[in-house]
Amino acid sequence: MKSYINNYELWCNAGDIKSLMEAIYSKNSALVEDKTFLKDTTAGLGIMEYDDIYSLMREVVTKVLKNSNLDNFKNTLLILGSSVGGMQECEDIFYEQKSYKNIDPNRLSMNALTDSLVKEFGFYDSRAISTACTSSANALLLAKRLIDVDAYENVLVVGADGLCRSTVMGFHALSVLSSTKCKPFDKSRSGMNVAEAVAVVLVQNIQTNNSIELKGVGASSDAYHMTNPNPEALGAIVSMQNALKDAKLSKEDIDYINAHGTATLANDKVEALGVEKLFGNSVYVNSTKAITGHTLGAAGAIEAIVSCEVIKRFLIPPQTGLENQENLNIKINKESVKMRVRNVISNSFAFGGNNTSILIGECK
Amino acid sequence: MKLYIKAYSSYTLNDELDIKKELKQKYKLDTRRQDAFIHLALYGGQLLKEKCEIKKDDELYLTSGVGNADIVQKTNTYMYKENQPLKLFDFINLLGNTTSYYVAKSLGMKGKNIFQISDNFTYINTLISAYASMLNSKKDAIICSMDFMCEPDVIMKRVMGLEQNSKVVSSVNYQKLSLNPDGAIAEIEFGLDENSTCKTEDKPHETYASYIVNCALRDKKDLLHVEVFEDKKRTIKVKSIK
């Protein structure tokens, strides 16, 4: 059974899809340098305008439903990918009151977000995946697998993460947070920017006029180190190879790689090496996190949407923020490239060497 | 949907065993920087490893109804009540896939690993996820189902919708699953929803279905287990291969 991405919407620091794509193509980063979360220093952050993560999710999901071929979600599986779930609200209450007394436990855990959507839209079934920065990429992977075996016809993948003090301070403690806007794949990159977003992707087993095919998914585990990837890029390579194998495509069929590209020293060095070993300089590669920041659990879904737009627009985006490319053996474009984009690999890599690659492409 | 069970392990936390000490002394594992939730997962994994061969490319699914609530309580207390900075390894342990990383590393696994959480049909949904992936990859899979009760347990009971005087336990249950019947000790069948008007009794933890399956495997008995959530039910059938 084939899987098709038939509809999607998002909200992030750059706004909706249209605004985000405009920002990406015009190299206009939506990141800000903010003092809110850290006492003595600034942090480059991707902050969006919204009331709360629950109402934002409802709003974005409603848009997808309106534009879909479905009347409701009663025959749809919901898979949420999130790294912190309902922790943002829990943190805010605890920060104010120093007590758990007024925290609603049903809005605290990972599946608090899925439960709220199930109550609102009456999904047939739901589950939540939390694998840090690969969460919604793994949700897409699972969506394809479940459609493969005919378990479900419609799967709604939601990637959602709201900015939390814990994540900002945690990445700061890890010394991987940049105080300025991040510069993926640049020699002088100084780290990543934590960000927030909601991205919603409807995956179905039927093709429509507007479909992009979810052709292959691949995953691997380094189990090398808790926070560092395998230095030989073995995990990243296996993940991309598995996606190619699943799609029954070869590396020559890929025109663009939307990289994980967080701009941390370790990730970009290893991911570039993985791309170099597998593709050489035959394929355009860059990271749109220079615009959005790292939206953590939402990143896989956000970047899958960006990849769909790249295919539909016949336009490979430029790398924002790049001055001096570190690895010169891969093809990073500083300006947009107009061309037919047949297939795209979107990489998501997470702590613990949890690697996922999504391969999407034009429909035949 | 049907899979074969090659091996299993079960452990319910009690005061008699110091798991951290056991992991260090008996299994020679590095337990530094980890918390009790991770130790429980690692211990169950080692018990499974004693019973079967775990291959490098086996897939790993770690599932939990509530996840590691203990670390959320701990970090919030540090940051907002005691005004302490967030400690590096508490932040790392806060993340879902940290536990699956340590489990994969301790078992020498390099295959896909997923941390799935759900309070409705937690275990059965994970079986379905694993089945769908295994059909494609043709690999075996390890499912680790676990719930850890943090102190005070008031939040856990509120999440689970239990009365405050209910008994809750910390438990870890593993199965090694395969599409191949060779050497299996049981077959397990499961599927999607059927309508239901049944009600179930309170569970002592969210992954109780996995524990019940392991009890049937231990006793070499066949099992029909039904879980109910609102108007839906899901059924697991275990048939012992004697």
Side-chain angles (χ1 to χ4, degrees):
Chain A
M1 188 70 73
K2 289 187 174 185
S3 299
Y4 299 95
I5 295 174
N6 286 342
N7 233 294
Y8 47 76
E9 292 286 343
L10 63 79
W11 189 254
C12 65
N13 59 334
D16 61 7
I17 295 171
K18 187 169 176 282
S19 310
L20 172 61
M21 295 312 294
E22 280 171 9
I24 287 172
Y25 286 121
S26 62
K27 298 202 274 187
N28 185 16
S29 177
L31 293 162
V32 294
E33 290 162 15
D34 191 272
K35 278 187 177 177
T36 313
F37 289 88
L38 300 169
K39 280 180 190 167
D40 306 319
T41 181
T42 58
L45 296 175
I47 300 174
M48 58 186 182
E49 287 179 20
Y50 66 122
D51 292 332
D52 66 85
I53 199 82
Y54 290 93
S55 42
L56 179 61
M57 278 195 315
R58 279 197 295 275
E59 202 178 303
V60 181
V61 169
T62 302
K63 279 186 191 169
V64 169
L65 178 60
K66 270 186 186 170
N67 296 327
S68 76
N69 53 2
L70 299 171
D71 295 328
N72 55 56
F73 285 132
K74 295 203 183 327
N75 287 320
T76 300
L77 165 70
L78 167 68
I79 309 179
L80 175 108
S82 178
S83 67
V84 296
M87 200 162 73
Q88 185 191 48
E89 182 180 281
C90 153
E91 268 191 354
D92 285 345
I93 296 171
F94 199 83
Y95 183 69
E96 291 290 324
Q97 302 176 9
K98 317 282 189 223
S99 162
Y100 286 103
K101 194 179 166 192
N102 292 317
I103 291 176
D104 177 352
N106 295 314
R107 290 167 72 90
L108 158 67
S109 79
M110 204 58 62
N111 48 338
L113 303 185
T114 51
D115 285 351
S116 80
L117 290 174
V118 170
K119 279 185 187 126
E120 181 79 20
F121 296 97
F123 285 93
Y124 178 79
D125 199 1
S126 71
R127 48 198 81 170
I129 289 178
S130 185
T131 53
C133 310
T134 49
S135 299
S136 58
N138 278 326
L140 283 162
L141 178 149
L142 183 56
K144 182 175 187 302
R145 288 284 174 260
L146 289 166
I147 287 176
D148 280 346
V149 297
D150 219 7
Y152 300 89
E153 294 176 354
N154 312 305
V155 183
L156 192 79
V157 169
V158 176
D161 258 328
L163 215 49
C164 290
R165 293 168 182 85
S166 301
T167 44
V168 177
M169 290 178 185
F171 282 110
H172 183 60
L174 270 171
S175 304
V176 294
L177 207 56
S178 172
S179 58
T180 56
K181 296 175 186 182
C182 69
K183 297 162 79 175
F185 299 111
D186 197 273
K187 265 184 193 169
S188 64
R189 66 187 182 279
S190 57
M192 57 175 277
N193 302 135
V194 185
E196 54 188 348
V198 170
V200 179
V201 180
L202 179 62
V203 186
Q204 296 180 289
N205 64 352
I206 54 163
Q207 186 178 345
T208 67
N209 291 337
N210 201 32
S211 291
I212 294 290
E213 189 178 343
L214 179 52
K215 294 183 177 177
V217 288
S220 70
S221 170
D222 286 354
Y224 170 77
H225 184 268
M226 189 55 237
T227 54
N228 281 320
N230 178 296
E232 300 300 318
L234 296 179
I237 291 170
V238 171
S239 175
M240 289 187 278
Q241 280 174 331
N242 285 345
L244 286 166
K245 188 177 161 195
D246 189 35
K248 298 181 179 62
L249 293 175
S250 65
K251 58 186 184 181
E252 290 76 22
D253 296 313
I254 306 301
D255 292 317
Y256 170 56
I257 296 172
N258 185 291
H260 186 54
T262 53
T264 62
L265 298 179
N267 177 82
D268 287 14
K269 184 176 183 185
V270 168
E271 188 174 12
L273 180 64
V275 171
E276 179 191 340
K277 283 183 175 178
L278 196 55
F279 294 93
N281 67 351
S282 66
V283 55
Y284 288 105
V285 54
N286 57 49
S287 166
T288 44
K289 285 187 176 72
I291 307 294
T292 60
H294 189 353
T295 58
L296 307 182
I302 286 273
E303 287 158 23
I305 292 173
V306 169
S307 302
C308 289
E309 287 292 309
V310 168
I311 293 168
K312 287 178 182 176
R313 291 165 186 252
F314 295 80
L315 193 58
I316 292 175
Q319 179 60 65
T320 300
L322 184 68
E323 288 164 8
N324 297 302
Q325 187 175 326
E326 182 181 60
N327 184 334
L328 296 171
N329 299 320
I330 59 172
K331 189 157 70 174
I332 303 179
N333 51 309
K334 288 185 180 175
E335 300 303 328
S336 299
V337 179
K338 186 84 181 163
M339 64 179 276
R340 176 184 168 207
V341 183
R342 298 163 300 160
N343 298 297
V344 177
I345 285 181
S346 177
N347 283 334
S348 294
F349 304 142
F351 279 162
N354 188 305
N355 310 299
T356 305
S357 298
I358 304 294
L359 199 162
I360 61 174
E362 58 183 13
C363 293
K364 285 181 182 164
Chain B
M1 298 179 216
K2 185 163 79 176
L3 290 168
Y4 294 93
I5 301 176
K6 297 291 179 80
Y8 71 98
S9 74
S10 268
Y11 182 73
T12 299
L13 200 60
N14 58 51
D15 295 333
E16 289 166 18
L17 186 68
D18 182 339
I19 287 185
K20 188 175 177 183
K21 195 173 162 188
E22 194 81 351
L23 289 170
K24 279 199 289 194
Q25 292 185 350
K26 184 174 177 185
Y27 298 110
K28 312 293 179 208
L29 292 180
D30 185 355
T31 56
R32 290 174 301 164
R33 311 182 194 102
Q34 302 157 13
D35 61 14
F37 183 90
I38 297 168
H39 291 153
L40 183 61
L42 290 178
Y43 186 64
Q46 292 304 310
L47 295 180
L48 182 74
K49 196 178 172 184
E50 288 176 349
K51 293 184 174 180
C52 65
E53 182 197 359
I54 293 170
K55 292 181 197 143
K56 193 173 81 168
D57 57 358
D58 284 348
E59 296 185 1
L60 173 66
Y61 291 81
L62 199 147
T63 190
S64 175
V66 185
N68 191 351
D70 196 42
I71 191 72
V72 178
Q73 294 198 121
K74 188 176 163 189
T75 51
N76 275 354
T77 303
Y78 269 156
M79 289 195 301
Y80 304 131
K81 219 167 180 173
E82 297 169 4
N83 292 319
Q84 299 288 323
L86 180 58
K87 292 181 182 171
L88 181 59
F89 283 96
D90 286 336
F91 169 62
I92 290 171
N93 292 345
L94 200 59
L95 300 166
N97 58 326
T98 300
T99 306
S100 44
Y101 160 75
Y102 282 122
V103 172
K105 191 167 179 69
S106 70
L107 298 177
M109 299 170 72
K110 300 274 186 190
K112 180 171 86 173
N113 72 59
I114 299 278
F115 181 68
Q116 182 170 304
I117 187 164
S118 163
D119 65 353
N120 314 328
F121 307 117
T122 304
Y123 173 63
I124 304 177
N125 278 348
T126 307
L127 278 173
I128 294 168
S129 299
Y131 171 81
S133 182
M134 290 163 75
L135 271 192
N136 177 276
S137 69
K138 313 295 182 207
K139 311 280 187 200
D140 291 351
I142 309 282
I143 291 187
C144 164
S145 316
M146 65 177 295
D147 275 300
F148 183 80
M149 298 305 138
C150 54
E151 294 291 338
D153 61 12
V154 54
I155 287 207
M156 302 296 282
K157 288 178 178 171
R158 281 166 67 193
V159 170
M160 292 171 73
L162 297 175
E163 298 293 330
Q164 283 307 311
N165 59 3
S166 305
K167 189 181 178 202
V168 289
V169 298
S170 300
S171 176
V172 62
N173 294 277
Y174 277 79
Q175 290 99 24
K176 171 149 177 159
L177 299 159
S178 177
L179 294 165
N180 181 352
D182 294 348
I185 56 171
E187 64 178 45
I188 182 165
E189 267 191 84
F190 44 92
L192 290 170
D193 296 343
E194 302 156 56
N195 289 333
S196 171
T197 53
C198 306
K199 281 191 175 175
T200 49
E201 293 182 2
D202 287 345
K203 296 177 282 190
H205 52 86
E206 287 286 344
T207 50
Y208 190 57
S210 182
Y211 169 75
I212 291 291
V213 166
N214 280 0
C215 288
L217 296 171
R218 180 195 62 201
D219 299 339
K220 297 183 176 156
K221 287 184 175 168
D222 296 346
L223 168 78
L224 174 67
H225 178 71
V226 180
E227 282 210 329
V228 176
F229 178 72
E230 294 178 343
D231 60 347
K232 291 174 183 172
K233 69 172 180 184
R234 283 186 183 175
T235 306
I236 296 177
K237 290 178 194 167
V238 176
K239 194 174 166 191
S240 176
I241 299 174
K242 290 158 180 118

